[in-house]
């Protein structure tokens, strides 16, 4: 099974200088205008004529069939997954220690998991630690033995520069599913910056939200452009679909 934590660099796209591109477009435009002028003089363009069919074919061939790029407000977020539940599945929840631990405990309670594990900056809980491949394999084996998934709370302190090496540690654990845990009461810009930092380095499947019941603006988490699948200790209810403006 391929390792989804192995990153690949995007292909390099060649660029064309602006002046050269403008000259090229002018040249092509002039050539096309000359071509269609000569064709129009030689043969009238009528719906049943050869020239009309050729023009139609040329237009069809040159149409841009790519999907339009929608503004963020009208993009559809992927459907939120549920926490994995098969025996031995390793679900990692990464966030500030208190948030990650709260989410993991609620997910474990909902799935009847026997115990949880911790990693990163989560300390002094009495739970076993999962900090590398060896301890992750051991935790999976315990999950299989207990017929339950394994939930790991990974503490990652918030800030512009998280502790170095954390992404490599997550990669060595190789979780089957990754959630980011956030507090709905924090400043939206700070939360978005932190989530973007995490998602830029590891694959993120969904967001788990804590504290939405204690803020007057819980909807701000919708701006993260990631599926929200867990809110205040339970599976999130799907939000009403937004209709694009052209459907009104």
């Amino acid at each position: 099974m391929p390792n989804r934590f192995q990153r690949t660099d995007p292909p390099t796209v060649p660029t064309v200088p602006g002046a050269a591109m403008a000259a090229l477009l002018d040249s092509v435009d002039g050539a096309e205008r000359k071509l269609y002028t000569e064709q129009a003089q030689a043969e009238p363009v009528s719906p049943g004529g050869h020239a009309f069919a050729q023009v139609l074919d040329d237009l069809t061939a040159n149409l841009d069939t790519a999907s339009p790029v929608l503004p963020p407000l009208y993009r559809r977020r992927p459907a939120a997954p549920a926490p994995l539940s098969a025996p031995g599945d390793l679900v990692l929840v990464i966030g500030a220690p208190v948030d990650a631990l709260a989410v993991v405990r609620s997910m474990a309670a909902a799935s009847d998991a026997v115990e949880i594990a911790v990693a990163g900056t989560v300390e002094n809980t009495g739970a076993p630690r999962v900090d590398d491949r060896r301890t992750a394999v051991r935790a999976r084996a315990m999950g299989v033995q207990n017929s339950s998934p394994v939930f790991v709370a990974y503490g990652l302190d918030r800030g512009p520069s998280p502790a170095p090496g954390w992404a490599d540690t997550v990669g060595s654990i190789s979780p089957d599913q990754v959630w980011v845990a956030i507090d709905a009461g924090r400043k939206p810009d700070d939360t978005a910056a932190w989530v973007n930092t995490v998602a830029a380095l590891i694959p993120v499947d969904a967001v788990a939200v804590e504290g939405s019941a204690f803020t007057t603006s819980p909807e701000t988490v919708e701006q993260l452009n990631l599926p929200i699948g867990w809110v205040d200790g339970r599976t999130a209810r799907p939000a009403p679909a937004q209709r694009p403006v052209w459907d009104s």
Side-chain angles (χ1 to χ4, degrees), residues 101 116-118 124-129:
L101 199 54
I116 64 170
V118 298
N124 301 325
T125 63
R129 293 194 63 84

Side-chain angles (χ1 to χ4, degrees), residues 26-50:
D26 289 343
S27 175
V28 172
D29 184 59
E32 287 186 346
R33 187 161 49 248
K34 179 179 178 182
L35 173 64
Y36 287 122
T37 299
E38 292 174 351
Q39 288 179 341
Q41 293 173 348
E43 179 180 356
V45 179
S46 63
H50 172 73

